[in-house]
């Protein structure tokens, strides 16, 4: 192989390895009337400084969407559950929502996805019959507007839709939810090249299953911090991968194993009534999560891992009510003054460093190859 071709292959390897890594974003919930948080314009500027490339907006109010115009930050919008019946009943209602939240800002605001409802199947009122028609109507309405670059799906909660987390190979979607909603949705996602959105909190599963070691939940590489799936022969080193592969296994059973997975929420609380909700564990989890996603290892069942993962959430909830004499759970990663609560780099700067490292590694192999070839053939070629 000639030197230029070898260099091209090495450079392409570095670029491809960096590009295949999951996107790490954050969830930003604008302040309520009772909270004292910076305005969306200041928050958007802070997120740009932190080089965070993706933001999930559960509320998706127009003021917040406008604040991210020209920022080149990818936005993941959400339609509140209360809108689902109206949107399912008439596509004009889907168009009305889009005209208010998307059309005035797109593409200046880089909207990449819309979740039609969040954990709608666990809402106080039964929204199951409205969910799929609402998702389809939003998708069709976007196409009627000539917008084809925004993925449409809905967001589920792991603990509400999966039969089990371990072993992952045994996981399936709960019935009758699977047949009535999940399978038709997966067919829609396959047809529209969209992703499966799911809230995936290792903390919640850890609290529901006391036998799970804390180190396994916090990405700690302890000698005995693993669990084996004997059906597949796979060894799991952390709870996050276990849960992701449970989702992948359930999708495979449903006949759609290749659909990308987007983790719409994940994190660890830094405060709450439980002793395990503390700032030390929260930082350990977030450091481990970012390190794992940046490693490029993926999960045992899917080498590319998840497509995107959004850390929950940007700020703690203020003026939250006490629960059993202790404060409510807090998940924020920034203080209200926009300084970081943890020494964790969620931003794209780490991706740039990784790309440089990979390119440096590739160039190192290239020059080693030059030396080897020169020693074998000599400076004037072989005789």
């Amino acid at each position: 192989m000639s030197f230029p071709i070898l260099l091209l292959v090495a450079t392409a390897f570095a670029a491809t390895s960096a590009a295949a890594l999951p996107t790490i974003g954050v969830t930003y919930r604008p302040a309520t009337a009772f909270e004292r948080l910076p305005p969306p314009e200041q928050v958007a500027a802070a997120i740009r400084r932190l080089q965070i490339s993706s933001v999930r907006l559960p509320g998706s109010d127009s003021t917040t969407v406008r604040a991210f115009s020209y920022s080149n930050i990818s936005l993941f919008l959400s339609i509140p559950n209360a809108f689902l019946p109206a949107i399912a009943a008439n596509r004009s209602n889907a168009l009305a929502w889009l005209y208010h939240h998307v059309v005035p800002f797109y593409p200046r605001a880089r909207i990449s996805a819309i979740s039609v409802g969040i954990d709608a199947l666990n809402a106080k009122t039964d929204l199951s019959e409205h969910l799929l028609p609402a998702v389809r109507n939003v998708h069709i309405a976007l196409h009627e507007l000539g917008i084809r670059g925004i993925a449409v799906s809905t967001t589920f909660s792991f603990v509400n839709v999966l039969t089990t987390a371990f072993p992952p190979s045994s996981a399936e979607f709960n019935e009758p939810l699977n047949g009535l909603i999940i399978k038709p949705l997966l067919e829609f996602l396959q047809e529209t090249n969209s992703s499966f959105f799911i809230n995936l909190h290792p903390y919640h599963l850890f609290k529901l299953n006391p036998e799970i070691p804390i180190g396994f939940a916090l990405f700690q590489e302890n000698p005995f911090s693993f669990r084996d799936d004997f059906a597949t022969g796979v060894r799991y080193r952390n709870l996050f991968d276990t849960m992701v592969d449970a989702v992948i296994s359930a999708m495979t059973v449903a006949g759609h194993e290749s659909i990308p997975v987007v983790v719409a929420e994940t994190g660890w609380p830094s405060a709450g009534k439980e002793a395990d909700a503390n700032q030390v564990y929260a930082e350990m989890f977030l450091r481990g999560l970012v390190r794992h996603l940046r490693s490029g290892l993926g999960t045992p069942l899917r080498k590319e891992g998840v497509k995107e993962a959004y850390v929950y959430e940007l700020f703690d909830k203020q003026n939250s009510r006490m629960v059993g004499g202790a404060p409510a759970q807090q998940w924020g990663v920034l203080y209200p003054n926009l300084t970081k609560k943890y020494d964790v780099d969620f931003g794209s700067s780490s991706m740039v460093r990784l790309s440089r490292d990979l390119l440096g590694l590739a160039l190192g192999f290239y020059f080693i190859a030059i030396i080897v070839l020169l020693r074998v053939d000599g400076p004037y070629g072989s005789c």
Side-chain angles (χ1 to χ4, degrees):
M1 183 180 291
S2 67
F3 293 162
I5 293 176
L6 187 61
L7 177 60
L8 181 62
V9 170
T11 306
F13 165 77
T16 303
S17 299
L21 296 178
T23 298
I24 301 177
V26 295
T27 295
Y28 168 40
R29 179 186 51 82
T32 66
F34 304 101
E35 292 179 304
R36 298 180 63 184
L37 292 174
E41 294 78 11
Q42 291 184 21
V43 174
I47 289 173
R48 284 197 299 271
R49 287 195 301 272
L50 293 170
Q51 297 184 309
I52 296 172
S53 61
S54 298
V55 173
R56 173 175 170 262
L57 300 174
S60 305
D61 64 277
S62 56
T63 302
T64 306
V65 177
R66 182 186 295 111
F68 286 92
S69 296
Y70 303 106
S71 67
N72 201 34
I73 293 171
S74 176
L75 298 181
F76 177 167
L77 307 187
S78 300
I79 299 177
N81 293 340
F83 287 78
L84 266 58
I87 290 176
N90 196 319
R91 192 155 64 247
S92 64
N93 293 319
L95 285 166
W97 192 91
L98 294 171
Y99 272 118
H100 188 68
H101 296 86
V102 174
V103 174
F105 317 110
Y106 183 87
R108 297 182 302 278
R110 194 169 147 233
I111 301 166
S112 61
I114 297 175
S115 175
V116 184
I118 302 174
D119 198 15
L121 299 178
N122 199 38
K124 292 181 180 179
T125 56
D126 184 9
L127 297 174
S128 57
E129 66 178 295
H130 306 296
L131 187 56
L132 288 175
V135 169
R136 291 195 181 99
N137 277 347
V138 171
H139 173 74
I140 295 171
L142 282 168
H143 278 240
E144 288 179 353
L145 294 169
I147 300 173
R148 288 173 169 76
I150 299 178
V152 179
S153 186
T154 188
T155 302
F156 298 104
S157 177
F158 183 95
V159 295
N160 293 331
V161 298
L162 272 294
T163 56
T164 185
F166 202 87
S169 59
S170 298
E172 296 183 31
F173 293 114
N174 291 323
E175 295 290 357
L177 170 67
N178 184 36
L180 295 176
I181 295 176
I182 301 287
K183 281 188 176 180
L185 176 70
L186 291 174
E187 292 172 5
F188 168 84
L189 299 180
Q190 192 88 54
E191 293 169 1
T192 60
N193 196 30
S194 190
S195 302
F196 188 78
F197 301 161
I198 189 156
N199 294 341
L200 191 150
H201 286 286
Y203 176 79
H204 292 156
L205 198 61
F206 167 74
K207 297 307 294 183
L208 290 171
N209 298 272
E211 72 277 7
I212 296 176
I214 185 64
F216 188 70
L218 296 176
F219 295 94
Q220 299 305 294
E221 298 177 358
N222 301 324
F224 302 103
S225 186
F226 65 85
R227 299 186 75 179
D228 292 326
D229 186 336
F230 294 109
T232 59
V234 168
R235 173 161 292 182
Y236 286 90
R237 297 287 182 179
N238 62 77
L239 186 55
F240 181 86
D241 279 359
T242 303
M243 296 172 75
V244 171
D245 276 2
V247 174
I248 293 168
S249 293
M251 289 198 302
T252 301
V253 172
H256 296 275
E257 68 277 2
S258 61
I259 293 174
V261 174
V262 170
V263 176
E265 284 186 11
T266 192
W268 196 279
S270 60
K273 63 179 181 179
E274 302 95 348
D276 298 305
N278 62 70
Q279 198 158 326
V280 173
Y281 282 178
E283 183 161 5
M284 290 171 69
F285 176 85
L286 293 171
R287 278 178 174 272
L289 174 71
V290 172
R291 182 179 65 250
H292 180 58
L293 293 176
R294 294 285 189 241
S295 72
L297 294 174
T299 72
L301 295 187
R302 183 173 287 184
K303 62 180 181 180
E304 67 271 26
V306 299
K307 182 181 179 182
E308 303 166 16
Y310 292 84
V311 172
Y312 184 80
E313 59 184 330
L314 201 60
F315 299 110
D316 288 337
K317 291 181 173 64
Q318 298 180 348
N319 302 319
S320 53
R321 292 181 295 177
M322 305 291 281
V323 179
Q329 286 183 352
Q330 301 289 6
W331 301 73
V333 298
L334 292 186
Y335 292 112
N337 64 1
L338 299 175
T339 59
K340 297 198 297 185
K341 185 187 291 187
Y342 310 110
D343 184 21
V344 180
D345 184 3
F346 302 109
S348 56
S349 60
S350 58
M351 291 291 289
V352 173
R353 289 194 297 272
L354 179 61
S355 298
R356 290 171 178 169
D357 292 343
L358 287 169
L359 182 57
L361 180 63
L363 290 173
F365 281 121
Y366 169 67
F367 287 117
I368 290 172
I370 290 176
I371 295 170
V372 171
L373 289 172
L374 286 175
R375 285 183 176 178
V376 170
D377 294 338
Y380 304 106
S382 58
C383 298

